[in-house]
Amino acid sequence: MRLILLGPPGSGKGTQAQRLVHRHGIVQLSTGEMLRAAVAAGTPIGLQAKEIMANGGLVPDEVVVGIIADRIEEPDAKKGFILDGFPRTVPQAEALDDLLRKKHLKLDAVVELRVNESALLARVEKRAEETRARGEEVRLDDTPEVLTKRLAQYRSLTEPLIHYYSERRKLLTVDGMMTIEHVTREINRILTALGALEPKDHEDHAPKAAKKAAKATMKASKKPAKKVAKSAKKAAKPARKAAKAPSKTKAPKKTVKKAAKKAVKNAASAAKARKGAKTAKKAAKKLTKKRAKR
Ligand code: AMP
């Protein structure tokens, strides 16, 4: 499995990456961690990055791309990896696409952890407190001033990646305001439904129909409302059928029903959007008529 975790500082990327590592035995590749190690070791890259990081800026693209290109060549990354904090700019994402293409590797998904900005400062302060309590050194950039800068960088340089990956149908968004446990469960559920993860024996199996529904949800971010409604409905159909049918498949009805419900919900919101567009069209027509009369 090859996965990107995307989200602003304090959104929980590191925490979730560690949980995925723990469960699936793949490596976490955090450019932030690697750069901090380089700073601590005083390597040439570390010396170059130190000041930039302390000020909440971004290390040049070619530096981080070089780090990642070397790192994914290592044997422990063969089984898969979770990228945490990389890519952070569109050129980095393009470089990653090139790297993977050359190695004939596929990116399974990009999981965006969406959080309210107002919660981030409190989260980063908590992280600093916990680090202090463990007797470890607090990150120089975990201060309110630097966080403000890092957030501004995220908005202008990293947020465009949401569009980049949604266009490529790789983006999945998870509500990062839920509890850590809930977010983990949601990520695992999505990845299992996409076929990126093997379900654990004691867990719900996501059948083909649920998989299809998850894929429809992924595509939804790109298609126009009408198409979304159609494909979500189409995807929901076999899921609904499977939910009704006597359990021929291994999948518990609950999972299938849930997937069907979600797909139907997508269809409903797309239909709502269509209705809104219709009303707007009608209003525009009325206005044109009125003007013509005048
Ligand atoms: P993080 O631990 O991911 O919050 O990263 C800490 C700092 O390392 C960031 O604020 C940047 O200065 C630098 N950094 C980490 N990853 C990247 C990247 N992909 N591109 C540029 N700078 C990065």
Side-chain angles (χ1 to χ4, degrees):
M1 174 179 66
R2 280 167 291 274
L3 182 73
I4 293 175
L5 288 181
L6 193 64
S11 58
K13 298 186 300 291
T15 307
Q16 293 302 329
Q18 275 165 21
R19 295 184 133 227
L20 286 164
V21 165
H22 187 69
R23 189 188 144 168
H24 306 292
I26 47 173
V27 285
Q28 171 191 11
L29 306 185
S30 156
T31 37
E33 288 293 333
M34 294 178 214
L35 287 166
R36 276 188 288 279
V39 170
T43 66
I45 286 181
L47 294 176
Q48 188 185 352
K50 192 176 179 182
E51 199 71 11
I52 303 172
M53 291 171 77
N55 290 320
L58 286 190
V59 173
D61 288 338
E62 58 277 16
V63 174
V64 280
V65 169
I67 292 178
I68 287 296
D70 290 344
R71 188 63 186 85
I72 62 176
E73 287 293 339
E74 284 177 32
D76 62 348
K78 290 271 178 289
K79 219 175 129 191
F81 46 77
I82 303 158
L83 290 168
D84 156 17
F86 180 91
R88 254 178 160 99
T89 64
V90 171
Q92 287 181 23
E94 287 166 347
L96 176 67
D97 281 347
D98 279 351
L99 274 174
L100 295 178
R101 201 178 306 119
K102 278 181 197 148
K103 289 171 75 65
H104 306 288
L105 296 174
K106 193 181 130 261
L107 186 68
D108 289 293
V110 178
V111 175
E112 179 209 357
L113 297 176
R114 195 166 284 180
V115 285
N116 299 340
E117 260 194 29
S118 53
L120 294 177
L121 179 61
R123 281 191 180 192
V124 167
E125 276 175 343
K126 193 173 164 217
R127 176 161 76 192
E129 235 170 67
E130 285 168 356
T131 309
R132 235 174 267 124
R134 284 197 304 270
E136 293 167 16
E137 213 171 302
V138 176
R139 281 172 56 166
L140 285 175
D141 57 355
D142 268 354
T143 64
E145 300 76 37
V146 183
L147 179 70
T148 311
K149 282 193 203 156
R150 287 163 69 204
L151 277 176
Q153 295 272 9
Y154 181 81
R155 263 184 245 116
S156 62
L157 296 169
T158 312
E159 242 173 30
L161 292 180
I162 292 173
H163 177 68
Y164 182 92
Y165 286 117
S166 108
E167 266 205 320
R168 284 157 183 77
R169 301 193 175 161
K170 292 283 177 205
L171 190 79
L172 291 156
T173 300
V174 169
D175 177 6
M177 296 305 291
M178 299 187 291
T179 62
I180 292 175
E181 190 55 44
H182 265 91
V183 175
T184 310
R185 230 180 289 154
E186 185 60 11
I187 295 175
N188 281 329
R189 189 192 66 75
I190 288 172
L191 295 178
T192 308
L194 277 175
L197 289 182
E198 287 299 317
K200 273 196 169 176
D201 287 345
H202 63 276
E203 285 180 356
D204 287 355
H205 287 67
K208 265 188 186 165
K211 229 188 227 182
K212 219 171 170 184
K215 279 203 171 148
T217 314
M218 206 162 174
K219 284 177 186 170
S221 49
K222 208 190 161 215
K223 285 186 185 175
K226 207 171 175 179
K227 273 192 177 165
V228 174
K230 235 180 165 179
S231 66
K233 258 187 177 166
K234 209 172 142 193
K237 213 175 166 186
R240 275 202 307 265
K241 220 171 150 187
K244 273 186 203 160
S247 59
K248 271 186 209 161
T249 61
K250 265 191 204 165
K253 285 181 186 176
K254 226 170 143 190
T255 318
V256 188
K257 264 187 179 166
K258 243 185 180 173
K261 240 183 177 174
K262 206 163 188 179
V264 171
K265 216 169 146 195
N266 282 340
S269 56
K272 234 182 189 175
R274 269 205 330 270
K275 209 173 158 192
K278 249 185 183 172
T279 320
K281 226 177 174 179
K282 256 187 187 169
K285 243 185 184 172
K286 237 180 183 174
L287 199 67
T288 321
K289 263 189 190 169
K290 237 181 184 177
R291 280 192 185 143
K293 266 186 193 169
R294 272 194 233 141

